[in-house]
Amino acid sequence: MADTDAGMLFMRTMRALVRFDDVVIFAYRGKERPIDLFSTFGADDHEIFVSLYQAGPYLLDPFYHAARAGKAGVFRMRELAPDRFFSSEYYRTYYSQTKLAEETGFFVACPDGVTVVLSLMRRERSGTFPAGEFALLADVVPFVEAFVGLAWPQLSRRFDTLAKGSSRRRREPANAADRIWQKLNLTDREASIVELVLQGFSSESIGLTLAISTGTVKVHRRNVYRKLGISSQMQLLSVYLKSLEA
């Protein structure tokens, strides 16, 4: 089944159950650039939701991290987002451009470490998904899982093909994300903390996640800012995204 045909069938089926404005379906594998399987956006929105997202911001997306963690089922974005996500620089500079009231995603595990996330989006004018509609989505999780298995059975091969092409163009491993911190001369601990900061975790949550004190987290943050010659999270995000593009 072609990606567009599968996406349209999914969209029509969901419209029979709940109200939403847009659909986007991504396949994820590790830290690799996600594959855009289907979306309903016009040209301007496609640039924000797909093209710009694939260029690097996906690495800070709660849905991406939930996919990597092996989440399965249907979730609202606010269920998965870190405690400071909606006040993070990533949210202010990227995610807020989407002008969404809510994003809800089906997470479907596929063979070879691939996860497909099928997102239903409601714009600000539409409000969030009511509890009754979200309950309907939870009821159809088994159907969505079966549908993804039939519609996209060979996704790992597509990732392999893209990875080989990227490696040939760059003459180096395709996964640029793992090289960022080495280029920025950060230690493993500093890199771990910066990733969590950019995702929207508070210093307190980072301390709990890494089993260190909040004071130690703040010391590492100050050291990172000094190393990079910056003084704000906005500058940190800018450095991070520029490093992805390099």
Side-chain angles (χ1 to χ4, degrees):
M1 187 182 302
D3 290 348
T4 299
D5 293 337
M8 290 297 293
L9 181 56
F10 171 77
M11 181 184 70
R12 293 186 186 117
T13 302
M14 293 301 106
R15 284 207 188 281
L17 299 174
V18 300
R19 294 178 298 109
F20 54 88
D21 297 306
D22 286 292
V23 174
V24 64
I25 304 174
F26 281 107
Y28 298 92
R29 187 176 74 173
K31 291 186 177 181
E32 295 172 71
R33 180 187 177 100
I35 297 174
D36 169 29
L37 299 175
F38 176 78
S39 66
T40 58
F41 308 120
D44 290 343
D45 282 339
H46 190 276
E47 177 66 24
I48 295 172
F49 285 95
V50 179
S51 301
L52 179 59
Y53 177 81
Q54 289 176 304
Y58 73 89
L59 291 162
L60 305 177
D61 180 15
F63 274 17
Y64 158 77
H65 286 280
R68 288 194 66 204
K71 288 280 189 182
V74 62
F75 300 91
R76 299 177 192 261
M77 172 65 80
R78 64 175 180 265
E79 295 179 83
L80 303 175
D83 56 343
R84 295 287 177 82
F85 174 73
F86 294 101
S87 62
S88 69
E89 196 58 41
Y90 167 73
Y91 179 82
R92 287 195 293 268
T93 60
Y94 171 72
Y95 197 85
S96 62
Q97 295 183 63
T98 63
K99 299 187 183 303
L100 295 180
E102 187 164 68
E103 182 177 2
T104 295
F106 290 96
F107 290 72
V108 179
C110 301
D112 302 317
V114 176
T115 296
V116 173
V117 180
L118 307 93
S119 294
L120 304 180
M121 299 174 165
R122 293 185 64 160
R123 305 294 180 121
E124 291 173 345
R125 63 180 180 270
S126 301
T128 60
F129 286 91
E133 292 191 4
F134 187 77
L136 287 174
L137 296 178
D139 288 341
V140 299
V141 165
F143 162 79
V144 175
E145 292 174 342
F147 174 79
V148 168
L150 291 172
W152 292 288
Q154 302 291 341
L155 288 171
S156 61
R157 292 184 183 179
R158 291 172 65 170
F159 275 106
D160 291 342
T161 299
L162 290 171
K164 289 176 183 177
S166 179
S167 295
R168 285 194 294 270
R169 289 192 299 272
R170 299 183 182 188
R171 298 182 181 179
E172 57 186 1
N175 184 10
D178 287 338
R179 301 191 305 273
I180 294 172
W181 311 124
Q182 183 177 357
K183 288 191 294 185
L184 296 179
N185 196 31
L186 301 187
T187 67
D188 289 343
R189 177 64 82 189
E190 289 169 345
S192 297
I193 289 171
V194 167
E195 284 190 347
L196 293 171
V197 167
L198 291 174
Q199 290 170 39
F201 285 87
S202 65
S203 293
E204 293 77 9
S205 293
I206 293 171
L208 291 172
T209 300
L210 300 180
I212 57 178
S213 70
T214 301
T216 299
V217 173
K218 292 179 179 179
V219 168
H220 281 300
R221 290 182 67 169
R222 287 197 294 269
N223 288 341
V224 169
Y225 282 25
R226 185 177 65 252
K227 278 186 179 182
L228 301 181
I230 61 176
S231 59
S232 70
Q233 192 183 132
M234 179 176 69
Q235 291 173 309
L236 178 62
L237 179 63
S238 177
V239 168
Y240 179 79
L241 294 178
K242 285 180 180 177
S243 297
L244 280 172
E245 296 167 359

